């Protein structure tokens, strides 16, 4: 079963706390992504990973970092979360670099208070 | 740089109406084009894909044709159902295959009333 799994699905954090969002995929895909989705702004790319320890900034990387130590796992870290990082975060994966199907997880709704 | 334009932010139809969602794109590469659909509480999922080789995609009653002359990739469906209510994204595949960056349109929210 081809799947991208995100944990947790819902998260409430206080401003200044650290946040870890986890993502796993069972398709051995090389490429993985983190996006955030906000009303009126659509999907914005935070980071891309091309494989283990091969990560690249997306369009809005400020305030975020990522870690990919195994091909099937890709983590998004917010050091000292800010209220403007309240959003829905989506992890995704694809077999190659963007011209085959991209599989998305169900998202994590993060609220920073 | 690459760009995708979806002018319709919201479309409201009745069941059995014809659906047309406008999408235009700009790229210097030979594009792979996608339509993704996002249902409430879910992540986007692939609806259909078109390349310069096949220039037309059909899936679940939806159809999109890639027109190189007008750089358009409109989505159509002859008869919508309430279950088609969702957000539809026009997406341009990665340029040159080297950076994996997809370019998403802003999305069109379709509401179908029974």
């Amino acid at each position: 079963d081809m799947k991208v799994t995100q944990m947790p699905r819902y998260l409430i954090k206080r401003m200044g706390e650290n946040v870890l969002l986890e993502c796993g995929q069972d398709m051995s895909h090389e490429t993985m992504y983190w996006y955030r989705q906000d009303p009126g702004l659509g999907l914005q790319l935070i980071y891309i990973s091309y494989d283990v320890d091969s990560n690249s900034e997306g369009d809005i990387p400020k305030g975020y970092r990522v870690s990919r130590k195994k091909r099937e796992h890709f983590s998004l870290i917010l050091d000292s979360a800010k209220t403007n990082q309240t959003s829905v975060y989506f992890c995704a994966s694809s077999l190659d670099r963007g011209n085959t199907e991209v599989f998305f997880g169900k998202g994590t709704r993060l609220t920073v208070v | 740089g690459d760009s995708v334009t979806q002018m319709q932010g919201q479309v409201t139809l009745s069941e059995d109406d014809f659906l047309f969602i406008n999408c235009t794109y700009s790229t210097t590469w030979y594009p792979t084009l996608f339509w993704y659909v996002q249902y409430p509480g879910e992540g986007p999922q692939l609806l259909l894909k078109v390349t310069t080789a096949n220039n037309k995609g059909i899936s679940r009653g939806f159809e999109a044709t890639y027109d190189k002359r007008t750089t358009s990739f409109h989505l159509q469906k002859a008869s919508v159902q309430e279950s088609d209510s969702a957000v539809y994204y026009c997406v341009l595949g990665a340029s040159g295959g080297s950076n994996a960056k997809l370019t998403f349109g802003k999305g069109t929210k379709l509401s179908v009333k029974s």
Side-chain angles (χ1 to χ4, degrees):
Chain A
D1 192 22
M2 298 183 291
K3 197 186 298 184
V4 176
T5 304
Q6 291 186 240
M7 295 293 290
R9 293 293 315 278
Y10 301 91
L11 189 59
I12 300 175
K13 286 288 194 177
R14 296 188 186 278
M15 195 167 58
E17 290 184 330
N18 297 332
V19 179
L20 173 65
L21 303 184
E22 309 241 44
C23 174
Q25 49 100 357
D26 60 3
M27 298 167 277
S28 297
H29 284 170
E30 285 187 354
T31 306
M32 296 188 74
Y33 308 79
W34 277 106
Y35 289 89
R36 64 177 282 175
Q37 185 175 49
D38 301 287
L41 296 178
L43 285 155
Q44 298 175 274
L45 179 65
I46 306 172
Y47 267 94
I48 299 173
S49 174
Y50 297 110
D51 212 328
V52 171
D53 285 330
S54 179
N55 306 317
S56 180
E57 294 183 345
D59 299 319
I60 54 161
K62 188 177 178 181
Y64 303 94
R65 61 185 174 94
V66 292
S67 175
R68 191 164 178 205
K69 297 301 181 184
K70 293 182 179 180
R71 178 172 281 191
E72 61 269 23
H73 291 130
F74 190 33
S75 300
L76 181 70
I77 301 121
L78 289 65
D79 295 316
S80 188
K82 300 172 181 51
T83 55
N84 63 7
Q85 293 177 309
T86 292
S87 187
V88 181
Y89 291 87
F90 287 99
C91 176
S93 74
S94 70
L95 180 63
D96 72 0
R97 296 192 174 196
N99 285 306
T100 57
E101 181 174 359
V102 176
F103 292 82
F104 285 82
K106 291 181 180 294
T108 294
R109 183 174 293 276
L110 172 67
T111 302
V112 182
V113 297
Chain B
D2 295 345
S3 66
V4 172
T5 302
Q6 283 180 256
M7 296 299 291
Q8 301 150 287
Q10 191 149 341
V11 173
T12 301
L13 297 171
S14 298
E15 279 196 325
D16 298 324
D17 280 352
F18 172 72
L19 170 68
F20 184 89
I21 300 178
N22 199 305
C23 172
T24 57
Y25 65 91
S26 175
T27 181
T28 56
W29 194 249
Y30 299 104
T32 299
L33 296 154
F34 306 88
W35 279 98
Y36 278 78
V37 57
Q38 185 177 20
Y39 298 102
E42 302 282 326
Q45 57 183 264
L46 181 66
L47 178 60
L48 53 82
K49 169 187 172 181
V50 168
T51 67
T52 53
N54 61 6
N55 90 331
K56 186 172 187 173
I58 299 174
S59 175
R60 302 186 233 169
F62 291 87
E63 179 180 315
T65 302
Y66 151 67
D67 187 328
K68 183 180 176 183
R69 184 182 63 84
T70 59
T71 62
S72 66
F73 187 53
H74 311 312
L75 183 69
Q76 305 178 85
K77 188 176 186 184
S79 175
V80 294
Q81 303 303 307
E82 194 172 1
S83 57
D84 293 324
S85 296
V87 179
Y88 292 81
Y89 291 96
C90 183
V91 181
L92 182 61
S95 286
S98 63
N99 66 11
K101 282 190 181 182
L102 304 172
T103 303
F104 280 80
K106 295 287 189 192
T108 299
K109 184 176 181 180
L110 171 64
S111 299
V112 180
K113 300 185 186 306
S114 59

